[in-house]
Amino acid sequence: MAHHNLAAQLDTLERDGLLRRRLTLEGAQGAHVSVDGREYLAFCSNDYLGLANHPRLIEAAIEGMRRHGVGSGASHLVTGHNIAHDRLEKKLADYVQLPRALLFSTGYQANIGAIAALVGRESAVFSDKLNHASLIDGVRLSRAEAVRYPHGDTAFLEQALAKSTARQRMIVTDSVFSMDGDIAPLPALLDLAERYDALLLVDDAHGFGVLGPQGRGALAHFGLRSPRLVYVGTLGKAAGVAGAFVAGSPDVVETVLQRARTYIFTTASPPHLATALEASLELMQAENWRRERLRDLVAGLRAGLRGSNLRPSDTPVQALVVGGNAEALALSDAIRDRGILVPAIRPPTVPEGTARLRISLSAAHELADVARLVDALHATLPETPKLATVT
Ligand SMILES: *Cc1c(COP(=O)(O)O)cnc(C)c1O
């Protein structure tokens, strides 16, 4: 009767510093947010380009709602597929320079749906140890043999691929690792995929809109093209709205459409999200200043925190590793007392003993905002004894 232990289990979580608490935003997402009647400077969202509350997107959503209604009313394969979805899919494919794209309601659904659609019992999936939970769950659901390789270790991966006798192979990886901000060695991974007859699924949740010329994503960043690539972009982060898409060769995309259970057995997302996303794509392409601003903010933060346990990262995801859960929470709380929100990320989201502050930067931030964060951290860091001992 495990449910009788729920209260005790929750107590244990609390004691271990692992109880999660939600913040309730009273207004829109942005560089400044309102929580419990107080305004905070926030470094918490994945709204990297600062588009989540942009007037052009809001207008496009309202216009889309007038034209197409509020709800899609059915799944894509019944009658939920709207011309707004269709147009967006074509624009997404053009933007990431792949033959075809298929829209999903969330990135979580796109990943688990695509993996389980493309591999099965007789396959093996090779997965970076720091991959996002949705990739891990997709591999589980696919029933393929799961082989996890140490973070970024392409030599280990090559040995595992060479040993594999599975009928089909797929490598899956985050492009930008969500809790560290480093970039996967995609050219080396694609080279291995080609040499060992594997597909390569790239989850570009944190690269889409951020990396590459005009924000076209991680594949464009490295100039990679291959029919073996399965690309997943998410639309709730840099794109500022919600949703995701799987892109790749026509055969890959059609197979996902035919087989992905998270595509088939769910209601299509409201069409006005697609019209908002069309407006978002235009700004993402046109407004390079947003990515230039991000680069300046990253440089400013890293210069200000030189000598700390900031993980190597050139992306808007910057991880300040603290170590213990209680210490990470204490640092987050101390910063919060100064009017700044930075989340403490703890296991199981990150490995045991590597609890951290995950600082995420947005084009909505000013350089002065980063300076304020740096000052607050300098004023607070000496109070967290573990910081100096963890690397
Ligand atoms: C956020 C995220 C997802 C899930 O995308 P949602 O659209 O939020 O469901 C998938 N992969 C990675 C790496 C992510 O960070």
Side-chain angles (χ1 to χ4, degrees):
M1 299 280 268
H3 63 275
H4 287 158
N5 294 329
L6 293 180
Q9 289 170 23
L10 290 169
D11 286 345
T12 306
L13 280 181
E14 167 121 60
R15 215 177 33 247
D16 295 345
L18 289 174
L19 203 66
R20 312 298 182 102
R21 289 201 169 80
R22 301 177 304 179
L23 296 177
T24 306
L25 268 57
E26 286 144 6
Q29 187 61 264
H32 299 268
V33 299
S34 163
V35 177
D36 293 333
R38 180 171 176 191
E39 178 159 313
Y40 291 92
L41 172 60
F43 295 91
C44 311
S45 82
N46 304 306
D47 177 25
Y48 301 122
L49 297 180
L51 295 174
N53 188 31
H54 194 288
R56 290 259 294 273
L57 273 67
I58 295 169
E59 279 311 310
I62 293 170
E63 183 50 33
M65 223 183 293
R66 290 218 172 86
R67 202 171 314 152
H68 305 292
V70 181
S72 67
S75 65
H76 281 281
L77 296 187
V78 182
T79 57
H81 192 62
N82 187 279
I83 189 164
H85 298 131
D86 219 59
R87 258 200 329 254
L88 178 62
E89 285 179 342
K90 293 195 171 77
K91 292 195 167 169
L92 288 166
D94 282 351
Y95 186 52
V96 297
Q97 301 168 315
L98 289 164
R100 191 178 168 194
L102 183 73
L103 193 62
F104 277 75
S105 297
T106 73
Y108 190 95
Q109 290 176 306
N111 277 338
I112 65 176
I115 293 171
L118 293 168
V119 292
R121 268 183 218 284
E122 299 186 329
S123 320
V125 180
F126 302 82
S127 162
D128 189 292
K129 278 207 169 131
L130 294 188
N131 275 348
H132 189 261
S134 55
L135 295 173
I136 296 167
D137 293 354
V139 178
R140 281 199 192 120
L141 266 177
S142 75
R143 298 190 167 88
E145 179 197 353
V147 183
R148 296 178 76 197
Y149 57 90
H151 182 49
D153 190 341
T154 51
F156 185 104
L157 172 59
E158 172 153 23
Q159 285 188 359
L161 283 163
K163 272 196 295 209
S164 173
T165 55
R167 288 256 305 270
Q168 298 150 326
R169 284 164 290 280
M170 178 158 73
I171 304 167
V172 302
T173 186
D174 285 20
S175 57
V176 175
F177 286 87
S178 53
M179 296 301 142
D180 293 79
D182 58 326
I183 301 177
L186 295 180
L189 294 178
L190 181 58
D191 180 56
L192 288 175
E194 269 158 5
R195 286 198 283 127
Y196 292 94
D197 190 23
L199 292 174
L200 171 60
L201 185 146
V202 176
D203 175 355
D204 203 24
H206 302 275
F208 178 74
V210 172
L211 296 180
Q214 294 171 296
R216 293 175 194 276
L219 302 183
H221 173 79
F222 287 112
L224 301 179
R225 277 169 189 269
S226 161
R228 296 183 178 280
L229 285 166
V230 183
Y231 179 89
V232 179
T234 69
L235 304 171
K237 290 171 179 157
V241 186
F245 64 100
V246 175
S249 75
D251 285 350
V252 161
V253 173
E254 186 63 23
T255 300
V256 174
L257 185 157
Q258 296 297 330
R259 290 210 191 128
R261 295 169 65 84
T262 55
Y263 185 75
I264 299 168
F265 299 108
T266 196
T267 300
S269 65
H272 67 269
L273 300 185
T275 59
L277 281 159
E278 269 194 67
S280 175
L281 275 185
E282 277 169 25
L283 292 174
M284 287 164 75
Q285 268 176 73
E287 299 196 340
N288 265 322
W289 69 263
R290 294 179 186 274
R291 282 172 289 276
E292 284 157 16
R293 166 79 62 85
L294 276 175
R295 271 192 289 278
D296 291 346
L297 297 169
V298 169
L301 181 78
R302 297 196 67 85
L305 295 179
R306 196 172 291 128
S308 72
N309 284 323
L310 205 55
R311 285 274 163 105
S313 161
D314 298 327
T315 69
V317 178
Q318 297 287 324
L320 183 63
V321 174
V322 177
N325 301 334
E327 288 81 359
L329 276 179
L331 183 55
S332 176
D333 286 347
I335 298 290
R336 184 177 175 170
D337 288 341
R338 292 167 184 267
I340 303 178
L341 290 180
V342 183
I345 308 287
R346 291 155 282 161
T349 310
V350 294
E352 206 66 52
T354 69
R356 65 196 65 185
L357 295 195
R358 179 183 186 270
I359 303 165
S360 57
L361 299 167
S362 164
H365 288 125
E366 306 285 338
L367 264 174
D369 296 332
V370 166
R372 222 183 112 193
L373 171 63
V374 168
D375 285 349
L377 284 168
H378 279 302
T380 319
L381 287 179
E383 296 162 26
T384 58
K386 267 209 153 170
L387 193 83
T389 62
V390 177
T391 51

